[in-house]
Amino acid sequence: MDAKSRILSRIRHALKERPKALLPEHPHPALSQDPMELFLKRLAENGAEGHLVDKEGARKLLADLAHGLPGAAYGKGVPDAFRLLPELPPKEAPLGVSRALFAVAETGTVALSSEDGRRAQLLPPVHLVLVEEERVYPSLLEAFLDLKSLPSAIGLHSGPSKSADIGQVMVKGVHGPGRLVVAVLQGTW
């Protein structure tokens, strides 16, 4: 018997006496709250801003955020109707605008694809994320089960960037935008 077989045999023998772990039937119990209501509540708890708007309401929100700004950095998935400002490189832009793959109600999280352009998501100090109402899922599991394909990377953003690494003092905007605004779009856009 080789070394690998001996080691595996000892592990199997040691595990014989241990009770089997019991797993829950379903890892996510059904939400008792409306997913949209919970999503907006969790966003606020995470320090982000959430708005339930139609297409015109989203354009007004974007115009309000863009007021007085020289331009914005846009993710590749942002429709032309939401490109109100001249496009700037992400490192120079005071505002980044992205389109989310989906959002998760139980954690107040938006999922952003690397294919949309990570720099527009992370470098500007203010980040506006657009997500369709039907792409707000109760749980991360349900969102992943509904995805047809996965991008090479997904960023899960649950609020503005913050850190308390130095002196235990909370500072916003250290590793990304200090302000996260999410526009949940009702209807077609």
Side-chain angles (χ1 to χ4, degrees), residues 22-33:
L22 297 176
L23 298 175
E25 287 184 30
H26 192 279
H28 294 281
L31 292 178
S32 60
Q33 194 172 359

Side-chain angles (χ1 to χ4, degrees), residues 106-127:
E106 68 183 357
T107 58
T109 301
V110 288
L112 303 171
S113 171
S114 60
E115 294 168 0
D116 195 49
R118 300 284 290 151
R119 288 188 214 154
Q121 300 165 6
L122 296 174
L123 295 179
V126 178
H127 188 202

Side-chain angles (χ1 to χ4, degrees), residues 25-68:
E25 287 184 30
H26 192 279
H28 294 281
L31 292 178
S32 60
Q33 194 172 359
D34 172 56
M36 184 58 61
E37 184 182 307
L38 181 60
F39 176 64
L40 295 173
K41 177 183 171 194
R42 292 285 191 253
L43 272 175
E45 291 171 353
N46 295 339
E49 303 166 38
H51 304 271
L52 184 59
V53 293
D54 60 10
K55 181 178 179 179
E56 286 312 308
R59 287 176 50 85
K60 182 178 180 336
L61 176 65
L62 178 55
D64 290 347
L65 286 171
H67 183 73

Side-chain angles (χ1 to χ4, degrees), residues 124-144:
V126 178
H127 188 202
L128 172 64
V129 179
L130 308 169
V131 63
E132 296 102 324
E133 182 178 27
E134 64 270 8
R135 304 292 298 166
V136 176
Y137 294 90
S139 70
L140 185 60
L141 175 64
E142 290 171 81
F144 278 133

